[in-house]
Amino acid sequence: MSFDIHVEKRLGEAAVALDLTAGAGLTVLFGPSGIGKTSILNMVAGLLRPDRGRIAVAGRVLFDAAAGLDIAPERRRAGYVFQEPRLFPHRRVRANLLYGAPDDGALAATAAMLGIGHLLDRWPRTLSGGEARRVAIGRALLSDPAFLLLDEPLSSLDRARRGEIMDAILRVRDEAGLPILMVTHDPEEAERLGTRIVRID
C-alpha cells in the first residue's frame, strides 16, 4: 500500500486522528479548513510527532509509537510542497530546482514535464503565482523523494493559474510513479486530481 497511516494527536483542545490505508496514485485528504489536514501531512513528513499510532509509506515504516520508531524528517525522503512556494529569492529558478537534488540529471525532463524549462534563468520575484508553484513542485520532485506531500497547492491562485497547476499535478501523478498525499478543501480539485478521496470530518 502507498500510505498506511493510523495516528492520533492532541493539539490544544482539539484532537486529530486518521485511519487510512490507500493504494497507488494520488490520495486526497478533503475537508474544511482548520480540521487538521495539514497536521496529518506534517506527521507523515516527520515535522509533527503523533501521540500514538503508526505511519508507513510504500511499505517503509516511518513511525511506530509502540516500537519506539521515529525516522528523522530528513531521512523520510518526503517531497513536501507547502501552501506557499517558499522559493529562495537570492537563487535563480535553476538553483532553486536543484536545491537538495543529488545531481542535475533529471532537471531537463522534470522542467519539460512541468513546462518550466524557459524559466530556468529567471529570478523568483519575476514569476507568476502559477509559475512559482510549478517550480516548487519541480524542486520537490528533483530531491529524489520516495513520496510527495502537497498542501493546498492551488490556494490563492486565479482560475487560469489553478488550471495550469492541476494539469501539472496530473502529469506528475501519471508519469512520476510516486505515492502522493494531497490536502484540499476544494471539491473540484479533489474530484479532478484524486485517485481516491478521503473526507476528514
Side-chain angles (χ1 to χ4, degrees):
M1 291 298 167
S2 290
F3 292 99
D4 194 18
I5 305 169
H6 309 277
V7 292
E8 295 180 28
K9 176 71 176 178
R10 180 157 289 281
L11 300 169
E13 297 298 313
V16 177
L18 179 68
D19 282 301
L20 168 67
T21 300
L26 190 153
T27 300
V28 173
L29 300 182
F30 172 74
S33 297
I35 205 161
K37 303 185 300 298
T38 296
S39 295
I40 292 167
L41 286 194
N42 287 338
M43 284 187 257
V44 176
L47 304 178
L48 182 65
R49 192 178 194 278
D51 294 332
R52 60 189 61 84
R54 183 178 185 275
I55 300 170
V57 181
R60 181 182 178 220
V61 179
L62 304 178
F63 176 82
D64 190 329
L69 176 67
D70 188 7
I71 302 296
E74 65 272 16
R75 293 180 51 224
R76 295 193 182 197
R77 294 184 58 209
Y80 202 146
V81 179
F82 297 92
Q83 289 188 29
E84 297 302 324
R86 300 190 183 187
L87 303 180
F88 297 110
H90 60 292
R91 293 173 180 261
R92 294 182 189 269
V93 166
R94 181 189 302 274
N96 266 282
L97 286 166
L98 292 175
Y99 186 84
D103 54 52
D104 64 357
L107 176 61
T110 301
M113 179 173 63
L114 295 171
I116 55 175
H118 63 294
L119 303 175
L120 296 181
D121 292 325
R122 298 260 298 271
W123 294 101
R125 66 178 178 272
T126 70
L127 303 179
S128 69
E131 289 169 340
R133 296 292 172 92
R134 282 184 282 155
V135 172
I137 293 169
R139 181 173 60 186
L141 285 171
L142 286 165
S143 69
D144 190 30
F147 58 96
L148 289 180
L149 303 173
L150 308 179
D151 188 6
E152 299 276 7
L154 293 97
S155 63
S156 305
L157 295 176
D158 61 36
R159 178 163 290 277
R161 301 292 84 76
R162 286 177 68 235
E164 288 177 8
I165 302 305
M166 280 198 270
D167 289 344
I169 292 171
L170 285 171
R171 285 194 294 275
V172 171
R173 183 194 73 184
D174 297 338
E175 297 177 25
L178 293 172
I180 305 173
L181 189 62
M182 174 179 150
V183 157
T184 185
H185 63 273
D186 186 293
E188 178 188 354
E189 294 173 18
E191 289 287 345
R192 182 172 176 192
L193 299 174
T195 308
R196 70 198 51 79
I197 300 170
V198 179
R199 182 174 180 88
I200 309 295
D201 294 318

